[in-house]
Amino acid sequence: MADSFYEYQLKQYILHGGKENKYKEQYVAATEAVKQKLVAKSKSGLLFLGSWGFNETIFYNEMEHLACFYPGLLALGAQVLDRPQDLVVAEELARTCYLSYKVTPTGLGSEIFTFPESAQLAEDTTGVHYAPNKYGMVPKDPRYILRPETVESLFVLYRVTENPKYQQWGWDIFNAIEKYTKTDIAYAAYVNVYDTTPENNWEDSMESFFLAETLKYLYLLFSPTDLLPLDEFVLNTEAHPFKIMKPEEEVEK
C-alpha cells in the first residue's frame, strides 16, 4: 500500500484550510474502501493491511513496512474530520507495526511480514525458514532499510492521543537503530533483522529518507507539542512542513 495518494487526499484538504471538500470526500471514500477491503485480522488478533492479487481473487496475509504510514494518516483524519472509529483502527494497526519490530532479536522491523495460515515454517525471499512467533508473524523480507513509516505513525498518534506509550515505542525503535545500524561513519541498511551480528548485516546504503523522515519524526516525537503543531502545519509525504492556509477573512492584509 503506497502512501502518497492516500495521504494527499486528506492533507490537501487540511492544507487548504478545509475549503476543498472534494479532497475530504475522496479521503473518506478511500478510507472506507481500505477498511472494508484491506484491513484484516490475524489468527492472533492483530489488525493488519493486506493486499489483493489480480481481480481480487487472492488475498495476501502480509503487510509491508511502507503500509505502516497508514495508522498515522487514520489518526490525523480521525482528529480533523471527527471520525473516532478510525482512531480505534489506527491504534490497532500501529500496535501491529510496533510489534513487527518488538518480536525480532534486533528490535528492527522487517520490510515485509506475513501471517501464515498454518504454524509451519515459512520461507522468506532468501530461502530461509522461520517459525511463527507468538503473534503469528514471520518475515517475508527480513531487511530493515531505515524506513520511517512506523515512527511517523507513532508521532502522529502521540500528538492526537497524548498517550506516552507511543513515545516509549519510539524510544525502543530508536535504541534498536542506534545499536544495530550505526556504523563509524553513518547508519546502514540491515540485511536480516533476525541476525544480531551487525557487521555481517550492514549494507553500504543509507537512504535519504532516514535523515529527512525517520530521524525527524523521532525528534518530533520527543519534542514539545508546540513545535510544528498539527493544527498549524501539515507534513507532506516526505515530512516537509507546510503552513496550513487560513480562510481569507483571517489573513492579515
Side-chain angles (χ1 to χ4, degrees):
M1 182 178 184
D3 50 4
S4 302
F5 170 72
Y6 295 96
E7 279 193 71
Y8 285 139
Q9 291 171 329
L10 176 65
K11 292 183 176 181
Q12 284 279 22
Y13 175 75
I14 296 172
L15 181 62
H16 287 86
K19 292 292 186 179
E20 297 285 348
N21 279 324
K22 63 182 178 181
Y23 298 123
K24 173 184 174 181
E25 293 167 0
Q26 290 171 6
Y27 169 77
V28 170
T31 299
E32 291 302 315
V34 168
K35 290 195 297 182
Q36 180 182 357
K37 295 286 189 177
L38 299 181
V39 175
K41 181 175 286 190
S42 71
K43 289 183 176 181
S44 61
L46 296 180
L47 286 192
F48 67 96
L49 280 170
S51 59
W52 283 97
F54 176 72
N55 204 25
E56 294 189 12
T57 55
I58 302 175
F59 186 77
Y60 296 102
N61 293 327
E62 62 184 43
M63 185 169 178
E64 299 182 34
H65 193 291
L66 275 170
C68 285
F69 84 94
Y70 201 65
L73 182 66
L74 277 180
L76 184 62
Q79 182 181 65
V80 172
L81 303 180
D82 190 23
R83 291 172 58 89
Q85 70 277 16
D86 289 350
L87 184 58
V88 175
V89 178
E91 294 202 85
E92 288 297 315
L93 288 174
R95 178 171 178 260
T96 300
C97 291
Y98 168 67
L99 287 175
S100 75
Y101 284 72
K102 188 69 173 176
V103 299
T104 71
T106 59
L108 299 171
S110 303
E111 179 73 0
I112 306 174
F113 54 92
T114 69
F115 295 94
E117 291 295 325
S118 69
Q120 297 178 350
L121 294 180
E123 184 176 319
D124 71 10
T125 54
T126 65
V128 177
H129 290 79
Y130 298 85
N133 54 50
K134 67 178 182 179
Y135 297 106
M137 268 183 206
V138 295
K140 180 177 181 180
D141 182 344
R143 295 175 301 148
Y144 174 66
I145 62 172
L146 306 172
R147 284 202 184 277
E149 291 81 13
T150 295
V151 293
E152 172 185 355
S153 284
L154 297 182
F155 157 68
V156 177
L157 277 160
Y158 176 69
R159 288 292 183 91
V160 169
T161 68
E162 299 182 349
N163 190 328
K165 75 178 180 183
Y166 296 116
Q167 289 183 314
Q168 182 59 57
W169 292 359
W171 184 244
D172 293 343
I173 292 171
F174 172 75
N175 282 323
I177 291 171
E178 282 288 295
K179 183 175 181 179
Y180 289 102
T181 72
K182 188 175 184 179
T183 73
D184 291 338
I185 60 172
Y187 290 78
Y190 206 84
V191 174
N192 189 338
V193 297
Y194 283 74
D195 187 337
T196 57
T197 53
E199 294 79 3
N200 296 335
N201 284 280
W202 287 336
E203 288 189 331
D204 188 16
S205 171
M206 186 183 80
E207 296 279 0
S208 61
F209 54 64
F210 178 65
L211 299 177
E213 299 180 70
T214 307
L215 292 182
K216 183 185 292 183
Y217 281 123
L218 283 167
Y219 179 80
L220 290 172
L221 178 59
F222 297 102
S223 298
T225 56
D226 60 357
L227 177 62
L228 294 182
L230 296 184
D231 59 348
E232 295 181 23
F233 291 89
V234 61
L235 295 166
N236 75 355
T237 192
E238 305 302 332
H240 304 310
F242 288 83
K243 188 76 171 177
I244 295 173
M245 300 176 190
K246 295 181 180 180
E248 290 183 0
E249 63 271 19
E250 295 182 11
V251 175
E252 295 182 6
K253 303 295 185 180

